[in-house]
Amino acid sequence: MSVGVVGLGLIGGSLARLLAARGVDVVATDASPASREAARAAGLVVADDVAGAVAGRELVFLAVPLRAMRAVAAEVARSIEADATVTDVGSVKGPVRAAVADAGLGGRYVGAHPMAGTELSGFESSDVGLLDGVPWAVTIDAETDPDRLATVLGLVTGPLAGTAAVLTDDCHDEVAALVSHVPHVVATQLLNAVAGAPVRDVALGLAAGSFRDGTRVAFTDPARTEAMVTENAMWVASALRKVVRDLEAVLEMLEANGPAHEFFHAADAVRATWVPGRRPVTGGDVEQVPLEGDWPAALLDRCTSGSVVVRVTADEAELQVHR
Amino acid sequence: MSVGVVGLGLIGGSLARLLAARGVDVVATDASPASREAARAAGLVVADDVAGAVAGRELVFLAVPLRAMRAVAAEVARSIEADATVTDVGSVKGPVRAAVADAGLGGRYVGAHPMAGTELSGFESSDVGLLDGVPWAVTIDAETDPDRLATVLGLVTGPLAGTAAVLTDDCHDEVAALVSHVPHVVATQLLNAVAGAPVRDVALGLAAGSFRDGTRVAFTDPARTEAMVTENAMWVASALRKVVRDLEAVLEMLEANGPAHEFFHAADAVRATWVPGRRPVTGGDVEQVPLEGDWPAALLDRCTSGSVVVRVTADEAELQVHR
């Protein structure tokens, strides 16, 4: 398998490093000469432009910022091999699919999003371990070619040692709003509230673990967070509406000296069973899902209830799904 | 200095361990026989009841849950030495002062709150390092005896190796709402939203760092969080009202495809200068504040703008304040 990676930021850089470390034939590029130079110094094979990273590659990752996705997809379309597959690492999936389709690459696209990151940016923050063995979301639509899906899943569950939840773009974008985008917005608000308070200096001096962890992702490049959130505006707004409703209910209970028991205990079942950073364990059964017949429904049903693809058979005809 | 610690949970246990490790004469107790036994096994001097932990002590820490503070203050009042000072480690200050005053101990009270903790509870989670060198808030009112304040500050900046921001109860409770209580409420909402979502299983399977950190304190004992928040209801409600307003503005911008630039960049000045977990550095000057004249105004002025007490002179007549 030959892979091209367009974009050498935190995620693209970490992806290229991990692929190279696992012996995958990978060529990467970035619009920034400094990033290309740093990547070469780190031992990666780096092309000077998009055409050089894409020509002759079987699989191409778009790993550029969301705001650049449309322009870069068009550039990739000019150099990509006739049969190559296109995927990405973007934190929203619906808008990326639309950008790729507008570039004429819709029929060969499989969406992908590694669920990992840090509050840092740029190749200098990338790390060979960042994406090693992480959960991925991989997205499909009614037109997705099962062979291309198997190609992406094979890379994710093989050299990248990850698992993959196969989802619709909408399901991904709803989940991403809940577990990533809204937490970024809320962290930003917590930081803003202190930054704008008359008691700011004493508050920052006394802030301890709950504030540090609650605002960690607010130290992400705000432009990147803004792009992520605005690209997923519909799902984020919907989730934020629930945040607002829930917090209004809490503050009304507080003002009325009423019981807030229900709010504080609503997630007790999750507290009792879920360990952050570990998948919920649901029995450990592995079943086979052939990529034939109504495979999209079979896969989406399983993954929406928490199963993940853990392996692709050598002939790429069947997936092993862990539930 | 002889110290009594009433309550051997996460904070009281960590405090007793640290005081003992620093050679301070400390006797502790807890209502739970199992906690007393565990503390004895850890090498602490443990009394069987409140009277045993309080009799003959110059300084008594109330380290019980907020909901028990009133009853325990009354019990302490029955055994405490005529001249002993009372302090605490509670996460709200106004309600604790009221409870202590109702027990007839108001004139000898100095409020205290070490800004450290974990999402765990109980003596088994306590650790000698948890409170070592952490920032404390120490609260006063118009009646506070400067000698008793010097006693508490001497312990905090001496054997406990910490710093102390001297504040009014209201200032503390406003700050605590911003940097701790509201982050706990928001973390709880983020966890609740996923726990109640149809996509819960796939969301928990894909949740990565932003969700793990954003919900860490939601894994605190919910009863403890509820008590902390409801005891500080007024300030938490006021801060939550701002959260609601800010998030409504963001979601309206998202729904209108408007710019959210201002929201995402509002804290840029803090991002540029503040390192989470470190006090803002403001020059490093140390000045002397004598505990005479209008010392409360002198101290509150300095501490409200971010200065902290770093040392008490040997005669307890003067504080060294770091700005």
Side-chain angles (χ1 to χ4, degrees):
Chain A
M1 160 94 58
S2 62
V3 176
V5 175
V6 181
L8 282 165
L10 175 72
I11 302 295
S14 298
L15 176 67
R17 286 177 191 267
L18 181 58
L19 288 169
R22 294 284 151 79
V24 176
D25 168 18
V26 56
V27 179
T29 193
D30 192 278
S32 148
S35 294
R36 294 199 301 271
E37 202 42 58
R40 280 196 189 99
L44 296 176
V45 179
V46 178
D48 281 332
D49 54 23
V50 169
V54 164
R57 304 279 111 188
E58 296 164 75
L59 177 64
V60 173
F61 276 94
L62 306 179
V64 296
L66 292 170
R67 59 188 175 279
M69 205 60 90
R70 190 164 290 271
V72 170
E75 205 177 345
V76 165
R78 287 195 288 275
S79 317
I80 198 167
E81 298 300 316
D83 197 40
T85 294
V86 176
T87 184
D88 73 309
V89 294
S91 51
V92 295
K93 298 273 64 80
V96 174
R97 184 181 301 274
V100 171
D102 287 352
L105 300 171
R108 49 169 93 191
Y109 175 67
V110 176
H113 179 200
M115 301 304 289
T118 75
E119 67 277 26
L120 307 172
S121 304
F123 185 80
E124 69 274 19
S125 306
S126 69
D127 188 279
V128 67
L130 184 65
L131 301 184
D132 191 4
V134 305
W136 289 62
V138 171
T139 65
I140 61 175
D141 70 0
E143 314 300 318
T144 301
D145 175 350
D147 292 340
R148 296 183 190 279
L149 175 64
T151 297
V152 172
L153 292 175
L155 197 77
V156 165
T157 61
L160 298 173
T163 57
V166 179
L167 306 171
T168 62
D169 294 332
D170 266 358
C171 180
H172 169 275
D173 290 350
E174 181 184 1
V175 164
L178 285 173
V179 302
S180 170
H181 306 166
V182 166
H184 276 76
V185 171
V186 160
T188 301
Q189 197 284 331
L190 292 176
L191 188 62
N192 287 357
V194 168
V199 292
R200 181 192 67 184
D201 292 336
V202 61
L204 292 176
L206 290 175
S210 63
F211 189 73
R212 182 193 62 225
D213 287 357
T215 61
R216 182 183 62 83
V217 293
F219 287 84
T220 307
D221 171 9
R224 190 176 76 185
T225 303
E226 183 181 356
M228 179 173 83
V229 166
T230 52
E231 289 284 350
N232 199 21
M234 192 190 74
W235 287 111
V236 173
S238 159
L240 279 180
R241 210 165 268 298
K242 180 167 163 49
V243 178
V244 164
R245 223 166 36 230
D246 289 356
L247 296 184
E248 271 176 339
V250 172
L251 80 84
E252 279 160 19
M253 283 184 295
L254 290 174
E255 286 177 341
N257 283 316
H261 192 75
E262 201 178 325
F263 174 80
F264 286 102
H265 288 271
D268 278 357
V270 171
R271 281 190 190 90
T273 56
W274 186 66
V275 178
R278 283 228 309 269
R279 291 190 56 249
V281 176
T282 49
D285 299 333
V286 170
E287 62 175 330
Q288 316 300 321
V289 178
L291 281 171
E292 61 183 31
D294 194 4
W295 62 266
L299 263 182
L300 293 173
D301 270 4
R302 285 168 175 78
C303 291
T304 305
S305 52
S307 293
V308 291
V309 176
V310 295
R311 214 170 86 77
V312 181
T313 55
D315 61 0
E316 299 199 343
E318 204 170 70
L319 309 177
Q320 292 183 1
V321 175
H322 186 287
R323 42 183 317 132
Chain B
M1 161 92 58
S2 62
V3 177
V5 175
V6 181
L8 281 166
L10 174 72
I11 301 297
S14 298
L15 176 66
R17 286 176 190 268
L18 181 59
L19 288 169
R22 294 284 152 78
V24 176
D25 168 17
V26 57
V27 178
T29 194
D30 193 277
S32 147
S35 294
R36 294 199 301 271
E37 202 42 57
R40 279 196 191 98
L44 296 176
V45 179
V46 178
D48 281 332
D49 53 23
V50 168
V54 164
R57 305 280 109 188
E58 295 164 77
L59 178 63
V60 173
F61 275 94
L62 306 179
V64 296
L66 292 171
R67 59 187 175 280
M69 205 60 91
R70 189 164 291 271
V72 170
E75 204 178 344
V76 165
R78 286 195 288 275
S79 317
I80 197 166
E81 298 300 317
D83 197 40
T85 294
V86 176
T87 185
D88 74 309
V89 294
S91 50
V92 296
K93 296 273 66 79
V96 174
R97 185 182 300 276
V100 171
D102 287 351
L105 301 170
R108 50 169 93 191
Y109 176 67
V110 176
H113 179 199
M115 302 304 289
T118 76
E119 66 276 25
L120 307 173
S121 303
F123 185 80
E124 69 274 19
S125 306
S126 69
D127 188 279
V128 68
L130 184 66
L131 301 184
D132 191 5
V134 304
W136 288 61
V138 171
T139 65
I140 60 174
D141 69 0
E143 313 301 318
T144 301
D145 175 350
D147 292 339
R148 296 184 191 278
L149 175 64
T151 297
V152 172
L153 292 175
L155 197 77
V156 165
T157 61
L160 298 173
T163 58
V166 179
L167 307 171
T168 62
D169 295 332
D170 266 358
C171 181
H172 168 275
D173 291 351
E174 180 183 3
V175 164
L178 285 173
V179 302
S180 171
H181 305 167
V182 166
H184 276 76
V185 171
V186 161
T188 301
Q189 197 285 331
L190 292 176
L191 188 61
N192 287 357
V194 168
V199 292
R200 181 191 68 183
D201 291 337
V202 60
L204 292 176
L206 290 175
S210 63
F211 189 74
R212 183 193 62 225
D213 288 357
T215 62
R216 182 182 62 82
V217 293
F219 287 85
T220 306
D221 172 10
R224 190 175 77 184
T225 303
E226 184 181 356
M228 179 174 83
V229 166
T230 53
E231 288 284 349
N232 199 21
M234 192 191 74
W235 287 110
V236 174
S238 159
L240 279 180
R241 211 166 268 297
K242 181 167 162 50
V243 178
V244 164
R245 224 165 36 229
D246 288 358
L247 296 184
E248 271 176 339
V250 173
L251 81 83
E252 279 160 19
M253 283 185 293
L254 290 175
E255 286 176 340
N257 282 316
H261 191 75
E262 202 179 323
F263 174 80
F264 286 102
H265 288 270
D268 278 358
V270 172
R271 282 189 189 88
T273 57
W274 186 66
V275 177
R278 283 228 309 267
R279 292 190 55 248
V281 177
T282 48
D285 298 334
V286 171
E287 61 175 330
Q288 316 301 322
V289 178
L291 281 171
E292 61 183 32
D294 194 4
W295 62 266
L299 264 182
L300 293 172
D301 271 4
R302 285 168 176 77
C303 291
T304 306
S305 52
S307 292
V308 290
V309 177
V310 295
R311 213 170 86 77
V312 182
T313 55
D315 61 0
E316 300 199 342
E318 203 170 71
L319 309 177
Q320 292 183 1
V321 175
H322 187 285
R323 41 185 316 130

